[in-house]
């Protein structure tokens, strides 16, 4: 049997190797119009950026090596220009000697791939405009960078390949700008997920122009400008065109092979074309998408290789093996984050009229108490009828790949959200959590599907508010102050049961928290107290803030440089470095406040944090204390921020009178004491004057650890025997179990690197929090001043009221 293969990259080379392994006697001829076969097409951008240092590593196999190992007749620089399916012959143009000849076949495989889209715009033939499809393209780009030393590059198109080029051009030392015709980059994912990418590009000082259509190019001797429909013009030293690809079907069309409605070669389940002995595979064909039950163009290397194996088997054994379709599982690295998608996006499902529910969850790459746990944001789409999983998208710093593969397998097998819950994953603290983020996505989806919670998507919020809905922020007061959705009322979830009178039952309610969990808890509380119309904002404040914020990041080219005077000033400033990696909120802010008080006006702090919510917290904190945020960078999941202590003459917000905070601590429960000091420290870190009034049982919280030898009457001694000796003897308000509960609480806090109560108390003292002990309560309970911590103010109700008069927050705990 004589088999001809047109195209020698991923699909063609794989089919040739499989054919030889299956049949030693078959005559196999592979035609490749280029110079190279079997190379790593997906690795081309990383050689340009220097990640792949040796060019030869891109070649899986050379033509000579392929011939020696597989005994295949490989003809490079040989372009097939015509297919005659009647006579079963192809016409070949040999570019080496410019000759032409024909070659007969028994079976033919077409693996011509896809070609970059390059519209006929004015100036597009300029030598400084490139596209990237093959090794020669890569060599041209690399040579241009090495010889011309360009400073600025514009990438047109924000797809996967375009953004890979952005990163690698950046790594090669260029300033980079992206122009995208749509309202987001990376069309396989939905807008709120793409917003993560937009913000990450901003953190890397990459310009992003969205909703901009390129109309042409204006070349000059020193640069080439990109002109846009909006009238804007961007100068650059080089341009990468990456607006997408289309199937290369010229040969198939001229041979009158049937094409599909999308312009790709039409094949059946055996990968056979409309001609009996002609097969096609890879980017040139339309493949069946089992999610939407239609054919689609999905140009990916993985499916092409699988199709090649099936084609080879069907040619040699008859049409027995079928290709079940492609769900479009894809992944890309964009600087420090990884972006992945599988199945159908909401955009595609809407376009196809397929009902679905979307759910957003935010987790971590592994157990939160193990160092360097990094954020992982997940969106899933599922059927409201039966919970069938239709699509999944993930953006994160670590562990994205293994999670998207789990989602892909469920979708491929037409599984449901309930299957997500049942996935048994390998768990140890450095790799995952006992409930993996994939499991959690399933649990949340089940709650939605079974009516345990009703969700609201970020883009429906403003409409619901205009219709009269009440918005409740269930986060802590400190989180609320650092940034919240406009018109939201702050009722922390832990207080909601005691503040039900403040919440109207005759109005729709929308609750939200940071990522959705506390909002879910709040909605469950409200629903079970008779509130009929309650919705939880899916994905919480994190998803809303990202999706509703500024997406374009224009201006890097004009603002990303410092003059020598500015740089000299920065170099001469005193800078304190803080390592807050691994600390959870409010730990990083507390460290910031502690060190901020030590520096003088004009001096700077540099802080490193792994808590990804820190960026938003930092903006709010800077606004409150009047600090100047100089720079913030996110590399490898570690946020590095530089803050300058502003001069009094600069336009900093003036603190309002009466902005102090007071707390009454009545309880000596360990959990309530912890909450008191978390709130106090958060407020102190924001520059607030905080006073805590300890009364009755709360006095036990501030007793000295070492028992004091003091004289007491009989009742005083009795109280002393019954009351906790100090903070380390406090019990939990619930599930204390004879002291086991409090020990478990302290152990968990230690393993998760959460500060102990005693540590929080010490931090509060260092940050100027005032401790006031109620003198009347001390007298009633027989507690002496000597038994209390040093530095305690003894006072009565008048002392508390004096502080409360100048406070706008008064909490009773």
């Amino acid at each position: 049997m004589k088999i001809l293969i047109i195209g020698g990259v991923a699909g063609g080379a794989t089919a040739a190797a499989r054919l030889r392994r299956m049949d030693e006697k078959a005559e196999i001829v592979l035609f490749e119009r280029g110079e190279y076969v079997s190379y790593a097409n997906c690795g081309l951008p990383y050689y340009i950026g220097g990640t792949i240092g040796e060019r030869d590593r891109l070649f899986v196999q050379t033509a000579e090596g392929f011939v020696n190992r597989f005994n295949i007749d490989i003809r490079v620089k040989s372009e097939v220009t015509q297919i005659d399916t009647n006579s079963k012959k192809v016409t070949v143009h040999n570019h080496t000697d410019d000759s032409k000849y024909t070659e007969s076949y028994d079976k033919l495989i077409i693996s011509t791939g896809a070609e970059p889209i390059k519209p006929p715009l004015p100036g597009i033939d300029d030598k400084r405009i490139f596209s990237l499809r093959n090794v020669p393209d890569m060599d041209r780009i690399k040579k241009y960078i090495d010889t011309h030393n360009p400073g600025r590059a514009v990438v047109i198109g924000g797809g996967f390949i375009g953004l890979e080029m952005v990163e690698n051009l950046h790594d090669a030392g260029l300033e980079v700008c992206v122009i995208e015709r749509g309202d987001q980059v990376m069309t396989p994912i939905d807008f709120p997920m793409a917003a993560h990418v937009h913000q990450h590009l901003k953190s890397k000082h990459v310009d992003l122009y969205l909703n901009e259509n390129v109309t042409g190019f204006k070349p000059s001797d020193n640069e080439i400008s990109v002109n846009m429909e909006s009238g804007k013009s961007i100068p650059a030293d080089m341009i990468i065109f990456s607006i997408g690809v289309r199937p290369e079907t010229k040969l198939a069309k001229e041979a009158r092979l049937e094409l599909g409605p999308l312009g790709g070669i039409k094949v059946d389940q055996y990968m056979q074309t409309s001609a009996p002995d002609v097969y096609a595979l890879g980017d040139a064909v339309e493949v069946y998408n089992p999610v939407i039950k239609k054919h689609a163009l999905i140009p990916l290397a993985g499916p092409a290789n699988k199709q090649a194996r099936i084609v080879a088997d069907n040619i040699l054994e008859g049409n027995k093996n079928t290709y079940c379709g492609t769900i479009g599982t894809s992944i890309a690295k964009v600087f420090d984050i990884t972006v992945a998608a599988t199945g159908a996006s909401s955009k595609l499902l809407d376009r196809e009229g397929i009902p679905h529910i979307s759910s957003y969850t935010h987790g971590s790459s592994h157990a939160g108490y193990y160092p360097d746990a990094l954020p992982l944001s997940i969106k899933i789409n599922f059927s409201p009828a039966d919970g069938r999983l239709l699509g999944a998208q993930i953006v994160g710093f670590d562990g994205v790949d293994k999670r998207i593969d789990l989602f892909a397998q469920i979708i491929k097998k037409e599984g449901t959200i309930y299957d997500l819950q049942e996935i048994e994953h390998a768990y140890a603290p450095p790799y995952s959590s006992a409930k993996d983020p994939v499991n959690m996505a399933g649990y949340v989806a089940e709650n939605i599907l079974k009516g345990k919670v009703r969700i609201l998507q970020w883009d429906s919020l403003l409409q619901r508010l205009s219709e009269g809905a009440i918005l409740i922020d269930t986060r802590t007061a400190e989180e609320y102050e650092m940034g919240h959705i406009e018109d939201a009322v702050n009722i922390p979830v832990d207080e909601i049961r005691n503040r039900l009178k403040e919440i109207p039952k005759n109005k729709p309610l929308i609750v939200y928290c940071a990522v959705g969990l506390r909002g879910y808890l709040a909605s469950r509380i409200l629903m079970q107290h008779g509130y009929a119309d309650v919705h939880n904002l899916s994905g919480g404040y994190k998803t809303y803030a990202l999706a509703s914020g500024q997406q374009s990041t224009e201006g890097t080219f004009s603002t990303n440089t410092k003059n020598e005077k500015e740089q000299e000033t920065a170099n001469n400033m005193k800078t304190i470095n803080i390592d807050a990696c691994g600390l959870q909120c409010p730990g990083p802010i507390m460290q910031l406040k502690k060190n901020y008080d030590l520096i003088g006006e004009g001096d700077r702090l540099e802080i490193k944090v792994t808590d990804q919510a820190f960026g938003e917290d930092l903006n709010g904190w800077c606004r409150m204390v009047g600090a100047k945020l100089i720079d913030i960078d996110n590399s490898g999941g570690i946020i590095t921020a530089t803050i300058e202590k502003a001069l009094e003459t600069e336009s900093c917000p003036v603190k309002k009178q009466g902005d102090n905070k007071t707390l009454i601590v009545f309880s000596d429960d360990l959990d309530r004491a912890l909450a008191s000091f978390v709130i106090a420290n958060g407020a102190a870190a924001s520059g607030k004057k905080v006073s805590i009034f300890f009364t009755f049982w709360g006095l036990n919280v501030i007793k000295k650890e070492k028992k004091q030898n003091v004289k007491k009457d009989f009742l005083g001694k009795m109280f002393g025997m019954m009351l906790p000796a100090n903070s380390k003897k406090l019990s939990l308000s619930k599930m204390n179990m004879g002291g086991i509960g409090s020990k478990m609480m302290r152990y968990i806090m230690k393993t998760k690197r959460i500060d102990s109560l005693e540590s929080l108390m010490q931090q509060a003292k260092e940050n100027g929090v005032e401790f006031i002990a109620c003198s009347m309560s001390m007298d009633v309970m027989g507690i002496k001043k000597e038994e209390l911590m040093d530095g305690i103010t003894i006072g009565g109700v008048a002392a508390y009221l004096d502080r409360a008069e100048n406070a706008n927050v008064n909490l009773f705990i």
Side-chain angles (χ1 to χ4, degrees), residues 470-474 480 485 487-491 499 502 512:
I470 303 295
L471 183 62
I472 300 175
D473 186 324
T474 66
Y480 177 84
I485 301 173
D487 297 327
V489 178
N490 181 217
I491 305 180
R499 297 175 64 179
E502 302 175 34
Y512 76 91

Side-chain angles (χ1 to χ4, degrees), residues 336-475:
D336 301 322
I337 62 172
T338 302
V339 185
T342 186
S345 64
S346 288
K347 297 190 296 287
L348 177 57
L349 293 169
D350 288 340
R351 191 162 65 239
E352 297 297 327
I354 299 174
H356 67 284
I357 298 172
S358 297
S359 173
Y360 298 89
T361 53
H362 303 282
S364 297
S365 55
H366 57 247
Y369 57 84
Y370 189 85
D372 299 330
L374 298 173
L376 204 65
S377 295
I378 295 175
K379 179 188 181 187
I380 62 171
N381 298 319
F382 55 94
S383 168
D386 56 8
R388 181 188 167 195
L389 189 62
L390 303 173
Q393 301 159 27
I394 312 177
V395 180
F397 293 88
D398 184 36
V400 173
D401 51 345
K402 70 176 182 178
R403 271 75 181 213
I404 203 68
D405 289 342
L406 293 174
F407 283 121
Q409 294 312 303
I410 299 297
I411 295 172
K412 193 82 171 179
K413 295 184 179 298
E414 299 190 351
T416 69
I417 58 167
Y418 306 107
D419 294 313
L420 298 178
Q421 301 175 18
E422 296 300 323
I423 287 177
E424 185 174 336
H425 63 284
Y427 162 60
Y431 305 106
S432 183
S433 300
K435 294 177 183 177
D436 189 80
V438 174
N439 301 137
M440 290 304 301
Y443 295 138
V444 171
E446 181 195 22
N447 288 337
I448 296 169
L449 208 55
K450 292 189 174 180
K452 295 177 183 177
V453 64
R454 283 180 284 181
I455 61 169
L456 184 74
Q457 301 298 340
W458 72 275
D459 53 354
S460 301
L461 177 61
L462 295 182
Q463 175 64 32
R464 292 298 303 273
L465 293 178
S466 69
E467 295 169 354
I470 303 295
L471 183 62
I472 300 175
D473 186 324
T474 66
R475 301 173 299 160

Side-chain angles (χ1 to χ4, degrees), residues 254-295:
E254 292 176 349
R256 301 197 176 183
L257 298 178
E258 188 175 353
L259 302 183
L262 301 176
I265 302 172
K266 185 176 181 179
V267 294
D268 60 17
Q269 68 268 37
Y270 305 110
M271 303 305 298
Q272 185 169 292
T273 70
S274 55
D277 295 311
V278 181
Y279 294 78
L281 57 89
D283 298 354
V285 306
E286 293 184 9
V287 294
Y288 181 69
N289 185 333
V291 178
I292 62 172
K293 311 295 185 187
K294 286 184 177 181
H295 281 76

Side-chain angles (χ1 to χ4, degrees), residues 157-208:
F160 279 62
I161 295 175
L163 292 190
E164 286 175 349
M165 280 303 301
V166 168
E167 177 184 352
N168 283 282
L169 290 170
H170 185 277
D171 288 348
L174 284 77
E175 292 181 7
V176 190
C177 167
V178 183
I179 302 174
E180 168 56 47
R181 186 173 185 176
D183 64 351
Q184 66 165 86
V185 299
M186 298 188 139
T187 53
I189 64 176
D190 289 311
F191 180 83
M193 301 300 284
H196 290 265
V197 185
H198 299 163
Q199 297 307 313
H200 192 61
L201 291 173
K202 181 179 181 179
S203 75
K204 298 298 181 181
H205 305 292
V206 172
D207 263 4
L208 176 61

Side-chain angles (χ1 to χ4, degrees), residues 589 592-593 596 617-625 627 685-686:
I589 289 292
L592 191 61
K593 171 63 169 63
Y596 188 76
D617 289 348
L618 179 61
N619 286 321
W621 183 83
C622 287
R623 286 193 297 269
M624 284 189 286
V625 304
S686 302

